[in-house]
């Protein structure tokens, strides 16, 4: 189900321009036009096509999910594998860095970075990746430490296998499944954070995002005294909810594949 929901959002982002062919910032109609054949979701307070803005928001959310989620997992995997494999001083130093980053209030830091570094998608994605990688690093480190103690890894090392071979042949296949699950989880968090930053006015103003659409609707004086909130506020809110649900279902499915005991535990109603 998660694959179907996320796949639908991806399809909307890629092919939605056919049904919503306007530029999201283009003044194309009268303000607050109700949904019609010309404007599927109506227009906002300045006459911009809301369906086009919703499609643009899907592209923004998926781009941030891919960049920030991927960056989070890559940084966490590199730090976790180095710490777990090398051990000693490297492990201790890496874990202190992890503790330091975890101690930083990350949401205020994101707001400060967004305010000073510029509200672009690249900056927002980089800021999320640089502040949320420690969790991935800890999970990967634990897995690498566990794998190092297993007999087949010790045997490979005892027969003189090179480090690159052991990492590629024995560690990456095991850690890879965890990284995929971590990528899905990080992507969902990135979608939520990007929407929150855009809602606070720290998003990229050149691209309409779901958080920014919600912010524009609530800033419009008297929006709740009209019916415009139904087609202006509800669609981006529903889109964020659906995408997050889809990513969550996808993550749960992956976790059940990685750890089959979790699936039996849930099906058995013991959780």
């Amino acid at each position: 189900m998660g694959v179907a929901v996320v796949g639908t959002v991806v399809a909307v982002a890629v092919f939605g321009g056919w049904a919503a062919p306007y530029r999201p910032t283009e003044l194309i109609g009268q303000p607050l036009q109700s949904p019609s054949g010309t404007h599927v979701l109506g227009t906002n307070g300045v006459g911009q096509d809301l369906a086009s803005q919703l499609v643009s928001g899907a592209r923004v959310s998926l781009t941030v999910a891919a960049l920030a989620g991927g960056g989070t997992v890559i940084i966490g995997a590199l730090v976790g594998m180095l710490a777990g494999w090398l051990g000693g001083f490297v492990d201790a130093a890496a874990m202190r860095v992890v503790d330091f980053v975890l101690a930083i209030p990350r949401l205020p830091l994101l707001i400060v970075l967004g305010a000073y570094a510029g509200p672009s998608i690249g900056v927002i994605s980089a800021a999320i990746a640089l502040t949320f990688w420690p969790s991935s690093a800890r999970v990967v480190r634990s897995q690498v430490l566990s794998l190092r103690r297993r007999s087949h890894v010790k045997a490979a090392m005892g027969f003189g296998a090179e480090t690159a071979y052991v990492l590629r042949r024995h560690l990456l296949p095991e850690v890879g499944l965890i990284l995929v699950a971590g990528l899905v989880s990080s992507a969902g968090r990135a979608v939520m954070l990007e929407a929150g930053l855009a809602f606070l006015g720290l998003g990229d103003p050149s691209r309409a995002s779901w958080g920014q659409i919600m912010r524009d609707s609530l800033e419009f004086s008297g929006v709740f005294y009209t019916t415009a909130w139904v087609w202006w506020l509800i669609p981006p809110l529903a889109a964020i909810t659906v995408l997050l649900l889809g990513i969550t279902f996808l993550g749960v499915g992956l976790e059940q594949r990685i750890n089959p005991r979790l699936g039996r535990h849930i099906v058995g109603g013991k959780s």
Side-chain angles (χ1 to χ4, degrees):
M1 184 175 180
V3 174
V5 173
V6 175
T8 301
V9 177
V10 172
V12 168
V14 175
F15 303 109
W18 293 350
Y22 308 106
R23 285 180 295 163
T25 56
E26 184 178 6
L27 303 179
I28 199 66
Q30 296 297 317
L32 300 183
Q33 281 186 257
S34 57
S36 64
T38 306
H39 304 290
V40 178
L41 290 179
T43 62
N44 63 11
V46 293
Q48 296 166 333
D49 183 64
L50 283 170
S52 299
Q53 292 196 337
L54 204 68
V55 172
S56 173
R59 292 167 182 162
V60 170
S61 292
L62 292 175
T63 301
V64 172
L67 294 178
T72 300
V73 170
I74 289 173
I75 297 173
L78 289 175
V79 174
M81 290 192 74
L82 285 174
W85 184 256
L86 297 178
F89 173 77
V90 175
D91 184 24
M95 290 304 99
R96 296 298 76 75
V97 174
V98 167
D99 293 338
F100 174 75
V101 177
L102 286 174
I104 298 175
R106 287 175 284 183
L107 184 57
L109 178 62
L110 278 179
I111 294 174
V112 172
L113 290 175
Y116 283 96
S120 70
I121 289 179
V123 169
I124 292 172
S125 302
I128 294 173
L130 289 173
T131 51
F132 283 89
W133 61 266
S135 301
S136 297
R138 279 190 166 174
V139 173
V140 171
R141 171 183 173 271
S142 299
Q143 184 68 9
V144 171
L145 286 174
S146 173
L147 291 170
R148 282 196 63 180
R149 301 189 186 100
R150 296 187 183 178
S151 57
H152 65 286
V153 175
K154 287 183 176 179
M157 295 171 64
F159 280 106
E162 295 181 353
T163 301
Y165 172 82
V166 176
L167 292 175
R168 184 181 67 254
R169 180 68 177 81
H170 297 292
L171 266 64
L172 280 180
E174 297 285 344
V175 176
L177 294 173
I178 296 175
L179 294 180
V180 172
L183 175 62
V184 173
S185 175
S186 300
R189 181 172 53 220
V191 169
M192 188 168 54
L193 288 171
E194 187 281 328
L197 291 174
F199 185 78
L200 294 173
L202 298 174
D204 187 346
S206 64
R207 298 170 181 265
S209 66
W210 292 337
Q212 185 176 331
I213 298 172
M214 293 170 58
R215 172 187 170 85
D216 292 342
S217 67
L218 294 176
E219 283 189 337
F220 188 83
S221 179
V223 66
F224 289 110
Y225 293 102
T226 69
T227 58
W229 66 272
V230 175
W231 66 79
W232 193 355
L233 177 61
I234 298 299
L237 182 61
I240 293 172
T241 304
V242 168
L243 180 55
L244 289 178
L245 279 175
I247 292 175
T248 300
F249 291 150
L250 189 59
V252 171
L254 285 172
E255 287 181 358
Q256 292 179 13
R257 283 184 174 274
I258 295 171
N259 184 4
R261 288 178 297 179
L262 177 64
R264 290 195 295 269
H265 185 69
I266 294 174
V267 171
K270 297 178 181 178
S271 61

